[in-house]
Amino acid sequence: MFSILFAAIFKVALPLLFIVALIDALTMSRTKRARVMRRSGDTYKTIASRLKVSPTTARRYALA
């Protein structure tokens, strides 16, 4: 009984979590995107080119 309930919850919850993560990624602000990119190891120059801003602005976004 428990395994059937767990499987049903897992089947419903996993797609919902994926949708929430996708919406978060699509609506992320520039500063949040810059912070995420910087944490993943991107340089300020790379972040600047992806966000179409200057490297100084990219640094400000990443440190905000």
Side-chain angles (χ1 to χ4, degrees):
M1 180 70 169
F2 178 73
S3 61
I4 294 171
L5 179 64
F6 182 73
I9 291 171
F10 189 70
K11 256 187 169 174
V12 172
L14 191 61
L16 289 176
L17 288 175
F18 179 74
I19 291 170
V20 169
L22 182 63
I23 290 170
D24 186 44
L26 292 174
T27 59
M28 211 182 296
S29 68
R30 282 183 164 185
T31 54
K32 188 173 179 182
R33 286 175 39 202
R35 279 180 280 175
V36 169
M37 285 188 259
R38 185 62 181 168
R39 273 187 244 136
S40 69
D42 289 341
T43 63
Y44 294 125
K45 189 174 180 179
T46 304
I47 296 168
S49 67
R50 287 184 186 165
L51 297 179
K52 295 179 177 58
V53 295
S54 72
T56 305
T57 303
R59 182 177 179 273
R60 274 197 354 240
Y61 285 171
L63 296 175

